[in-house]
Amino acid sequence: MQSKYNPKEFEDRIYENWLAKRSFSAKVNPDKKPYTIVLPPPNITGQLHMGHALDQTLQDVLIRWKRLQGYEALWLPGTDHASIATEVKVLKSIEEKEGLTKDDLGREEFLRRAWQWRDEYGRIIVNQMQKLGSSCDWEKERFTMDEGCNQAVTEVFVRLYEKGLIYRGNRLINWCPDCKTTLSDAEVEHEEMPGAFWHVKYPVVGTDTFLEIATTRPETMVADTGVAVHPEDERYKHLIGKKCLLPLFNREIPIIADEYVEMDFGTGALKVTPAHDPNDFEIGLRHNLEQINGMNEDATMNENAGKYQGMDRFTCRKEIVKDLEAEGYLVKIKEHPHNVGTCYRCSTIIEPRVSDQWFVKMAPLAGPAIEVVEKEELHIIPDRFTKVYMNWLENIRDWCISRQLWWGHRIPAYYCESCPEIVVAKEMPDVCPSCGGTHFRQDEDVLDTWFSSALWPFSTLGWPNETPELDYFYPTNVLVTGYDIIFFWVIRMVFSGLDSMGEKPFEDVFIHGLVRDANGKKMSKSLGNGVDPLDVIDQFGADALRFMLATGNSPGNDLKFQVERVESSRNFANKLWNASRFVIMGLEGELPEFDGSEALTLSDQWILSRLETMIDEITGALDRYELGIAANKIYEFTWNEYCDWYIELAKKRLYGEDLVAKMTVQKVLVKVLKDILRLLHPFMPFITEEIWSFMPNTSGLLVTDQWPKQNSALYNEVAVQQMNLIMDAIRNLRNVRAEMDVVPSRKAKCMILASDDKVANILMEQSEYLITLASCSEVVTVASKKDVPEDSVSAVIHGAELFLPLDDLIDFEKEMERLTKERTKLEKEVERVISKLNNPGFVSKAPAQLLEEERQKELKYQEMLMTVNARIESISAKIN
């Protein structure tokens, strides 16, 4: 082994070796149980960020663990075409380099460029994942627009259409004026923004009265087609059925009664704009109100806006408010913040608008997805996210799946050019079933990215074909993902799996949080607080980054990225490296495997017992998805118990002349170290694999070795209790010596005054440990305190008090010299503080808090001086 831990020397080499040996390859194996995870496919536009690093580290820990446990473990990787994101990136690149627009290129040329982009950039994140150590089966890598996934998407669309679950309708949708496409509800993010309620008079026709309306969007007045009040509202009952005049536009609109209106919110009168608000749309349908669209696709006002035509929507808002005020319709403006919907990709404020789109009926699909969780056939970890999942499904609206883009799965709907017939089919039809026409054009739109992602757990395994892989690896075992895409992806995979496969797509959903910066803020490009995982890997190694992410993980909770914690993880790797090197370098010739027949010392029995406990506790924590707890346990065991205690306890035998004792301790050191490497491998795969290659009696790679099995015969509760007592004694004796600043080389007699004979017997029988690790010259028992020198210091443990004579600990001449210097220093401090407090100028100007601080200092230094003087007096008596 190299003398120093340097991950750059072996991480890339080890990963290449894993690939060459096909260590991550999984196949249909009737002799093994399958364990499957599908990777949440990262976008082909993206680069590895800390969120990916966390997500993939957690998955890799689970898949490496299960591989070691003997499962046929498949981690199926892939990338997502990311419809909107990729189209935006490709167009921006073309515009910057060539000055061309989408329309300049045409659909065919644009798609050629998009595939070219995928070939060039799609591998970037895969290569970066490999730097992290992700043990995916790369031979099975998929892409959401590859031939097989495309076939699956078409099959599902046609099946859902034939079941009446997909329809085309003229409905209100979320529209992004920048991306120029529809968005599903899940793709709309809500941000609190400053806003206002504009209170406007709507004159009641044929009367001198008016209705006062409060609106947050005056620009949509151009499309008002009614005013709604609650049917039980006594203020307005007499106006129901009448009409009012739309201010500025002089158009009469009906006053209707609808229970949606809240009597105690605002004025209790609501302007209804069916084409520009989802709730107004539903009211409009109930009352057969006209739908007037007031805006173009780019959110400028259209011809229905009259003199405001051509204005940007927010410019129009200002102009309408100005005109309302000028004509006496504006009552007041009340400042009020609002939750505003924005596009999840470009952050543009979305615009609800009525449009002909394709939708999925969600109610029939949501039912089974709710039931599978209610029956506890699918588990969400942590459980608090079950409520989020259920609330979303119970209140779900139909899913708008069409997107006005070119990059994506094109909708398999064909329009007869001779009649209004629409044919949904896997391929373009030859003849129209209605009119016999033979000319068709395919729908221009593509499907929402999440439509194909929803099929990921089974489309990647060969569905709709009945492949051996699909039969063996589906349903998958766990989905690991962040809480931010429960709506986008998790729910859609559940109902898609249940509908297409008749079976849930996974047993467990393991939800993790986001990675935030050191101050708890979300990492983002705009804030400039993002941290590139590759930079961290370059500086500290992949294992250190992975271990930091794992130890900081608690299911469902966010994690703060702190460089200090990465450094701490690297220090742990360095500790493991040095300890392993110490053990390996001390081996001479062939070393037989540990078999339990050895004559074990107390420390051997203790470390083997602790190892058995750790195997049980770490395995249990991983079973419960408590990866952070598992990582911390292996850290504590390796650093504190194995390195700091057992190796130190082993040194006397290692360097001794007793060859049988030497071989025994070597066998125990190697056995425990091997199991440490196995337990740690899922978290820190590179360093453990590298150390494993130097271990005796290993023939293959650690990545495909075996998870440690418990051996109850090695557990000795008495040894654990006795060793805990001895370690407690050593710790306390060390603390006493440290407090007195005694160098380790200065030995002292340890006298045991025990209240429990068993404790005294154990300490005496194992006194060698106290002599070795607590710098004791000898260990004796005493019958009473009378046998203890008066000038001794003590340490208390359960069942005994340990005494160290001061004469053994202290060189009194040197201690007198040190205390004299300390006294001089304290006298100067006291003099300085008193001088300050006796200075009228300082006292008159200093704040009260500062004066109090100085008075407290005087008291502190005076007390310290008294203590030092007493100590000097005591030592003087001894010297004289």
Side-chain angles (χ1 to χ4, degrees):
M1 286 178 70
Q2 293 292 320
S3 59
K4 291 185 178 178
Y5 168 61
N6 183 2
K8 287 183 178 179
E9 290 183 353
F10 57 80
E11 287 191 347
D12 289 344
R13 165 174 52 81
I14 284 174
Y15 200 88
E16 289 301 319
N17 192 32
W18 284 332
L19 291 179
K21 299 281 178 64
R22 301 183 70 226
S23 303
F24 312 147
S25 179
K27 61 183 185 297
V28 174
N29 185 346
D31 298 326
K32 284 187 176 184
K33 286 180 69 176
Y35 185 87
T36 317
I37 300 176
V38 290
L39 174 78
N43 295 349
I44 58 170
T45 61
Q47 286 191 309
L48 193 74
H49 57 63
M50 272 302 162
H52 290 130
L54 172 64
D55 190 59
Q56 289 163 22
T57 294
L58 300 179
Q59 290 172 76
D60 199 35
V61 167
L62 292 171
I63 210 74
R64 286 179 183 271
W65 167 51
K66 288 297 182 180
R67 194 180 287 126
L68 288 170
Q69 281 195 319
Y71 288 82
E72 192 65 27
L74 169 63
W75 187 12
L76 201 154
T79 49
D80 192 347
H81 66 282
S83 193
I84 296 177
T86 303
E87 186 154 316
V88 168
K89 283 259 188 183
V90 174
L91 288 172
K92 187 177 180 182
S93 173
I94 293 169
E95 187 178 355
E96 287 175 354
K97 292 176 183 176
E98 305 172 51
L100 298 175
T101 66
K102 186 175 173 179
D103 292 331
D104 292 334
L105 292 169
R107 187 172 196 133
E108 189 176 333
E109 176 60 17
F110 169 77
L111 289 176
R112 188 185 72 80
R113 302 284 193 97
W115 278 103
Q116 198 175 46
W117 171 283
R118 188 256 172 179
D119 294 339
E120 186 175 350
Y121 294 102
R123 299 304 304 168
I124 290 175
I125 200 163
V126 171
N127 296 333
Q128 292 173 338
M129 284 177 63
Q130 294 181 347
K131 291 288 285 184
L132 186 66
S134 299
S135 62
C136 298
D137 186 346
W138 297 108
E139 296 167 22
K140 295 182 177 64
E141 184 186 346
R142 301 299 299 271
F143 176 55
T144 49
M145 277 176 61
D146 66 26
E147 187 176 342
C149 288
N150 196 46
Q151 182 188 357
V153 166
T154 302
E155 182 76 26
V156 167
F157 189 98
V158 172
R159 287 190 186 188
L160 290 175
Y161 181 81
E162 288 173 349
K163 286 196 272 188
L165 295 178
I166 283 182
Y167 65 93
R168 184 168 172 81
N170 188 258
R171 296 178 61 83
L172 195 82
I173 49 88
N174 304 302
W175 180 262
C176 176
D178 187 53
C179 297
K180 304 285 195 307
T181 182
T182 57
L183 301 171
S184 70
D185 289 342
E187 291 168 316
V188 177
E189 294 181 343
H190 289 87
E191 300 176 28
E192 189 171 279
M193 296 183 181
F197 276 118
W198 283 269
H199 288 247
V200 182
K201 295 177 183 178
Y202 278 52
V204 178
V205 175
T207 73
D208 295 330
T209 61
F210 60 86
L211 283 169
E212 186 178 322
I213 309 294
T215 179
T216 59
R217 305 180 67 213
E219 69 276 13
T220 62
M221 286 176 61
V222 304
D224 285 358
T225 57
V227 171
V229 296
H230 194 279
E232 302 301 321
D233 196 329
E234 296 295 337
R235 294 171 295 176
Y236 305 126
K237 268 186 176 181
H238 64 291
L239 297 177
I240 295 169
K242 295 183 180 294
K243 293 188 176 183
C244 58
L245 196 66
L246 181 62
L248 305 182
F249 297 92
N250 296 320
R251 178 158 41 87
E252 292 187 1
I253 56 177
I255 300 171
I256 58 173
D258 195 280
E259 291 186 351
Y260 171 78
V261 182
E262 296 177 45
M263 289 188 279
D264 55 355
F265 182 77
T267 64
L270 179 77
K271 79 183 196 68
V272 184
T273 320
H276 289 277
D277 182 272
N279 297 311
D280 291 8
F281 178 79
E282 298 298 333
I283 294 172
L285 290 180
R286 287 196 289 273
H287 298 276
N288 199 28
L289 297 180
E290 185 183 1
Q291 296 173 359
I292 299 175
N293 181 14
M295 294 185 201
N296 299 309
E297 290 185 355
D298 61 358
T300 57
M301 308 308 291
N302 65 16
E303 65 279 2
N304 291 324
K307 73 171 190 174
Y308 306 105
Q309 183 177 357
M311 290 183 186
D312 171 79
R313 54 183 162 166
F314 299 120
T315 304
C316 174
R317 176 182 295 180
K318 291 176 183 175
E319 291 302 311
I320 283 181
V321 169
K322 194 192 323 179
D323 290 346
L324 287 170
E325 186 172 20
E327 296 193 26
Y329 291 114
L330 188 64
V331 179
K332 62 182 177 181
I333 302 173
K334 186 179 178 183
E335 298 298 320
H336 188 78
H338 298 288
N339 273 327
V340 178
T342 60
C343 174
Y344 81 117
R345 280 294 172 197
C346 68
S347 297
T348 301
I349 294 175
I350 62 105
E351 194 60 51
R353 69 194 307 259
V354 174
S355 176
D356 283 322
Q357 302 292 338
W358 291 91
F359 295 86
V360 176
K361 282 184 184 175
M362 286 309 306
L365 295 169
I370 290 170
E371 189 177 321
V372 77
V373 171
E374 285 179 337
K375 288 183 174 179
E376 297 185 358
E377 294 170 7
L378 187 150
H379 312 98
I380 299 174
I381 300 119
D383 184 60
R384 69 178 186 271
F385 288 104
T386 301
K387 188 176 181 181
V388 176
Y389 173 98
M390 298 296 270
N391 284 346
W392 180 260
L393 280 171
E394 286 164 358
N395 297 286
I396 202 164
R397 298 195 304 171
D398 287 356
W399 174 19
C400 178
I401 54 172
S402 45
R403 299 290 179 269
Q404 290 62 55
L405 303 164
W406 287 350
W407 177 244
H409 297 274
R410 198 161 171 185
I411 291 174
Y414 303 90
Y415 299 85
C416 177
E417 295 191 345
S418 303
C419 77
E421 182 70 21
I422 302 174
V423 179
V424 170
K426 295 174 188 176
E427 295 177 349
M428 184 177 286
D430 296 321
V431 179
C432 174
S434 288
C435 71
T438 56
H439 292 90
F440 290 86
R441 60 178 176 81
Q442 187 174 356
D443 197 300
E444 294 288 319
D445 291 349
V446 299
L447 287 163
D448 178 7
T449 297
W450 301 100
F451 192 93
S452 54
S453 299
L455 320 182
W456 191 245
F458 53 92
S459 66
T460 50
L461 293 169
W463 190 90
N465 301 314
E466 294 181 7
T467 66
E469 289 78 13
L470 184 64
D471 182 59
Y472 182 68
F473 288 112
Y474 188 94
T476 68
N477 293 81
V478 60
L479 174 77
V480 181
T481 189
Y483 58 67
D484 53 334
I485 57 171
I486 292 175
F487 314 135
F488 285 112
W489 195 40
V490 177
I491 287 171
R492 288 176 178 150
M493 280 190 288
V494 174
F495 69 66
S496 297
L498 290 169
D499 185 70
S500 294
M501 296 292 297
E503 198 169 1
K504 63 193 176 186
F506 23 73
E507 294 172 14
D508 298 327
V509 180
F510 173 28
I511 303 288
H512 60 76
L514 307 178
V515 182
R516 299 183 178 273
D517 70 10
N519 298 313
K521 291 182 179 177
K522 187 175 179 180
M523 290 185 176
S524 70
K525 287 181 181 177
S526 59
L527 292 174
N529 63 345
V531 178
D532 188 337
L534 295 179
D535 291 341
V536 179
I537 290 171
D538 184 61
Q539 186 176 358
F540 299 103
D543 285 326
L545 174 60
R546 289 169 60 108
F547 200 67
M548 183 281 293
L549 293 169
T551 52
N553 177 69
S554 173
N557 294 327
D558 291 344
L559 178 152
K560 286 184 185 178
F561 177 87
Q562 295 167 313
V563 174
E564 297 80 11
R565 290 189 57 242
V566 187
E567 289 173 347
S568 174
S569 294
R570 191 189 191 282
N571 292 342
F572 173 59
N574 195 57
K575 180 86 170 180
L576 175 68
W577 183 269
N578 291 336
S580 302
R581 189 167 181 273
F582 170 81
V583 171
I584 292 165
M585 298 291 281
L587 301 177
E588 299 166 3
E590 295 221 358
L591 181 73
E593 282 281 282
F594 175 88
D595 61 13
S597 64
E598 297 79 2
L600 302 174
T601 65
L602 176 66
S603 62
D604 296 336
Q605 294 170 32
W606 166 73
I607 196 67
L608 290 168
S609 299
R610 290 296 300 138
L611 175 63
E612 290 304 302
T613 300
M614 283 300 99
I615 293 169
D616 179 54
E617 291 182 355
I618 291 166
T619 305
L622 289 171
D623 270 326
R624 297 186 299 273
Y625 298 103
E626 293 171 345
L627 277 60
I629 290 174
N632 279 304
K633 282 185 179 294
I634 187 64
Y635 173 94
E636 292 294 333
F637 177 72
T638 304
W639 189 302
N640 296 331
E641 297 180 84
Y642 183 73
C643 295
D644 286 355
W645 282 103
Y646 185 69
I647 286 179
E648 292 304 313
L649 291 164
K651 283 179 179 176
K652 187 168 184 181
R653 282 183 289 164
L654 284 172
Y655 301 143
E657 300 299 321
D658 186 333
L659 296 182
V660 174
K662 185 174 186 175
M663 180 170 284
T664 296
V665 76
Q666 286 179 334
K667 287 163 75 172
V668 175
L669 278 165
V670 169
K671 185 258 189 303
V672 177
L673 179 55
K674 278 186 173 181
D675 280 347
I676 283 173
L677 296 175
R678 292 180 175 112
L679 292 168
L680 189 56
H681 178 75
F683 301 94
M684 304 180 90
F686 291 108
I687 187 174
T688 52
E689 189 73 81
E690 179 70 358
I691 294 170
W692 185 263
S693 68
F694 294 100
M695 297 296 291
N697 306 316
T698 56
S699 55
L701 294 171
L702 174 57
V703 67
T704 48
D705 196 73
Q706 289 187 330
W707 188 251
K709 290 187 173 68
Q710 282 187 274
N711 180 356
S712 58
L714 291 178
Y715 185 79
N716 186 325
E717 179 64 28
V718 173
V720 172
Q721 291 175 357
Q722 291 187 0
M723 199 65 208
N724 284 341
L725 175 71
I726 291 163
M727 291 192 299
D728 194 26
I730 292 170
R731 269 191 295 264
N732 278 276
L733 291 171
R734 283 175 170 177
N735 288 341
V736 167
R737 294 173 61 93
E739 286 168 8
M740 301 188 67
D741 202 20
V742 180
V743 293
S745 59
R746 192 172 184 93
K747 307 291 183 183
K749 181 195 285 189
C750 176
M751 290 173 283
I752 303 167
L753 177 60
S755 57
D756 184 332
D757 290 342
K758 287 182 181 177
V759 171
N761 292 336
I762 292 166
L763 292 175
M764 290 306 298
E765 285 169 10
Q766 308 297 335
S767 61
E768 195 59 45
Y769 294 140
L770 299 181
I771 290 169
T772 304
L773 295 184
S775 299
C776 295
S777 56
E778 61 176 318
V779 181
V780 297
T781 57
V782 292
S784 71
K785 243 180 182 175
K786 293 177 184 177
D787 302 321
V788 178
E790 191 176 319
D791 207 353
S792 295
V793 289
S794 68
V796 179
I797 62 170
H798 180 69
E801 194 170 0
L802 312 177
F803 294 93
L804 301 176
L806 275 179
D807 288 358
D808 289 358
L809 293 173
I810 297 173
D811 181 328
F812 289 108
E813 295 286 352
K814 285 186 177 178
E815 181 66 359
M816 178 63 86
E817 186 181 331
R818 185 187 72 79
L819 288 168
T820 302
K821 287 179 181 176
E822 182 69 12
R823 178 169 63 182
T824 303
K825 180 181 168 186
L826 286 168
E827 284 172 343
K828 286 181 179 178
E829 287 297 328
V830 170
E831 186 182 340
R832 183 187 63 78
V833 174
I834 291 174
S835 175
K836 247 186 173 183
L837 292 172
N838 287 338
N839 182 345
F842 172 75
V843 174
S844 63
K845 293 178 183 177
Q849 184 181 346
L850 182 57
L851 281 173
E852 182 58 27
E853 286 174 4
E854 292 299 322
R855 290 188 186 104
Q856 291 301 320
K857 280 182 189 177
E858 181 190 2
L859 290 172
K860 180 180 76 171
Y861 292 139
Q862 291 281 20
E863 285 173 9
M864 291 169 69
L865 185 57
M866 285 173 64
T867 304
V868 168
N869 281 331
R871 189 83 180 114
I872 287 172
E873 190 177 333
S874 171
I875 292 175
S876 293
K878 284 183 174 292
I879 294 173
N880 299 327

